[in-house]
Amino acid sequence: MQLALRCSSCSVPSSASIGQTWCVTGPRKGFARGCRHIGSIPPVSAVFHPQVGKQIAQLMQTKASAQPAAVAEPPKRVVICGAGIIGSAIAYYLAVKGVAATVVERASVACASSGKAGGFLALDWQDGGATGPLGRLSFKLHQELADSLGQDIGYRRVQTLSAAAAPTKKGATHSNTRGSQPNRRAGAPAWLDGSVSRIKPMGDESSTAQVHPQKLSQALMDAAQRKGAQLRIGEVQNITTSGKQVTGVVVDGEEVEADAVVIAMGPWSGQAAKWLPVPDITGQKYASIVLRPEEDISNHMLFLSYKTSSGQSIEPEVYPRPDGSVYICGSPEYIALPDDPKTIQADPSSIEDLKEVARSVSSKLADAPLEVGQSCFLPVSPDGLPVMGRVPGVQGAYIASGHSCWGILNGPATGLVMAELIAEGKATSVDIGKLDPQRLA
């Protein structure tokens, strides 16, 4: 059923079907990070026909009642397909609950999008949407993990700013660009001395933070392994079933027996549709670079509106890290998801765009050596929301994927609630009903 709705957060028009909404306008439409409207469920009063609200309620109640009953006891053999932030977090929280899982990964921990992500964290940027409670819980868990894992995961609280930026004109120096004087009056950090304007605060150390995604994923996996979990390197080739119950995972031609299987393969989760009735998870490609300036840069995260010298409008993000490096991302690339993550390469023009951003915003970044130029695919679902819960119709099958640009933030809470669902039969820390795969069945 197609409905005429308005986003419950910003009142702008939204194209939606039952069980999904999609903000189609605003400063960060689609699934861009700054949009606070993604996944917001409109109130029934926003629906134009008075009977539609009742129909939605009846439909959602029917779908909820169709879900399998809670498990009587924890599964004894859990296999998690994927060792990114989501799979590693699930393995960790299962291990905390006494369930030692086997995690299968094609190459290495966080070898794809989790290892190339930026790691920005926000307490309340998802408020008002279906993932708001998940984000708030996960923001808290990130602090707890930083205190308890016993490894450096690059965590710290940060200041966050939005701004507009433009390419530095040929022959201009950063000290005489139009942005430099107003920037100092706006309270911006001294290193932000380029062609930057319209600086506004978006968050402070009470509401925004950062983490190094690869280090966090590895620390979670290490901790899970210390508690009995196993990491197996290999390719998932099949999910075996008997009747309506999963029985194992075929890895490089060998079946690993299981009575519970979790699909957490990021943008490749959709490949599991060959074996299980999972939603069509795919990926959106983005490029990123890592620079190493000579001087340390303060903990100010930047969300920019930028038009490249070639005329392309992008929304780059600049994240100085506590190890002295600076991560910059935000140049989209529109190509199909490859079968093998090892074949992903960044478009050289996207890398040049991001280097241009660095030169334009700061003299400290203008000549900083390039350590990494890379690309990854953000996992996205058909309605832009994460897909978390039991795979409908198959006992012991679960999925946790489609987190888009919020995968690192929501990773710990996703791991916790999925561990609750698998080990205890019900997610109790956060209600994930709106994220259930059944909505897309």
Side-chain angles (χ1 to χ4, degrees), residues 191-235:
W191 61 267
L192 193 61
D193 57 1
S195 301
V196 184
S197 61
R198 302 201 302 273
I199 299 174
K200 297 179 180 179
M202 298 181 74
D204 57 27
E205 293 185 12
S206 69
S207 62
T208 55
Q210 71 179 149
V211 71
H212 193 294
Q214 194 281 329
K215 292 180 180 179
L216 172 60
S217 300
Q218 187 66 62
L220 288 168
M221 184 59 64
D222 290 345
Q225 289 180 283
R226 288 194 295 271
K227 295 178 181 294
Q230 297 181 30
L231 175 63
R232 178 164 179 165
I233 302 301
E235 181 181 356

Side-chain angles (χ1 to χ4, degrees), residues 288-293 321 323-326 368-374:
S288 61
I289 62 175
V290 178
L291 303 177
R292 180 68 62 174
R321 286 174 164 171
D323 66 0
S325 65
V326 177
L370 176 69
E371 285 196 346
V372 178
Q374 60 193 3

Side-chain angles (χ1 to χ4, degrees), residues 38 57 59 65 80 105 111 144 146 149 167 173 221 238 259 276 295-296 307 315 320 383-384 434:
I38 301 161
L59 177 63
S65 64
I80 301 169
E105 176 54 64
C111 63
E144 293 180 4
L149 285 175
T173 64
M221 184 59 64
N238 194 9
D259 51 3
L276 298 171
E295 301 178 25
D296 287 343
K307 181 171 286 189
E315 293 186 335
D383 63 1
K434 293 177 181 178

